[in-house]
Amino acid sequence: MASRPPIDIDVPAPGSPEPQTVTPEGERLDEFIDGVSLRPAITHSDERGSLTEIYDPAWGFTDEPLVYVYESRIHPGQKKAWIVHFEQDDRLFFSVGSAKVVLYDARTDSPTQGQVQELFLGTVNRGLLRIPAGVVHGIVNIGPDEVRFVNMPTRAYRHEQPDKLRFAADTDAIPYEL
């Protein structure tokens, strides 16, 4: 197929060219916050339905043991934000809905201190996300259905003294409007 010559347009203030975000192989170009990792989900399907792998220590995704597991849900149009842990990492598996996950690296000793990162996970893009202690995070349901995710934190929940600091969704402490 022959390539076309560029097209001229008559727009008073044209925008800027769209930057490249993925390689031709589909790999993300943006840098992850230090210590954050994402493993796309593997789904096995047949005529009966499907099975999606959530976590296997053999993957080498993390060295910490599986000590506690729970599921969270977010209603359409709602957000869970902002929180940060000081002792535990979160390992979140997104499986249902459309979630925007925003991360802010608040760690003073991190090479990515101050970096903000957006990820979109859920039914269409299932995956396991590792959020290190000190990385502030918020999740917004951006779809018409409930968002569901499973958390497998690296520490069991301490009811008498939770390892969680919560900020208001509209805080000025995070350089992002959720």
Side-chain angles (χ1 to χ4, degrees), residues 23-122:
T23 67
E25 296 76 32
E27 299 292 324
R28 297 172 59 101
L29 288 176
D30 63 332
E31 299 257 342
F32 272 76
I33 288 173
D34 186 53
V36 171
S37 52
L38 176 65
R39 183 182 192 280
I42 305 297
T43 300
H44 307 279
S45 299
D46 63 23
E47 66 278 356
R48 300 168 297 158
S50 66
L51 177 145
T52 301
E53 298 178 17
I54 293 176
Y55 178 81
D56 184 339
W59 297 338
F61 185 77
T62 180
D63 292 335
E64 298 90 0
L66 195 57
V67 295
Y68 187 70
V69 178
Y70 65 90
E71 179 184 59
S72 284
R73 297 171 179 232
I74 304 174
H75 298 304
Q78 297 298 308
K79 50 185 98 167
K80 289 193 174 190
W82 296 94
I83 66 164
V84 65
H85 303 289
F86 297 93
E87 300 171 6
Q88 76 180 44
D89 297 351
D90 278 340
R91 297 176 288 196
L92 308 177
F93 181 80
F94 290 85
S95 60
V96 175
S98 297
K100 175 169 68 168
V101 181
V102 181
L103 309 172
Y104 171 66
D105 191 352
R107 301 169 295 175
T108 57
D109 63 344
S110 171
T112 54
Q113 178 188 8
Q115 183 174 330
V116 174
Q117 184 172 10
E118 287 181 330
L119 298 166
F120 296 89
L121 298 164

Side-chain angles (χ1 to χ4, degrees), residues 9 11-19:
I9 59 173
V11 178
S16 59
E18 183 73 17

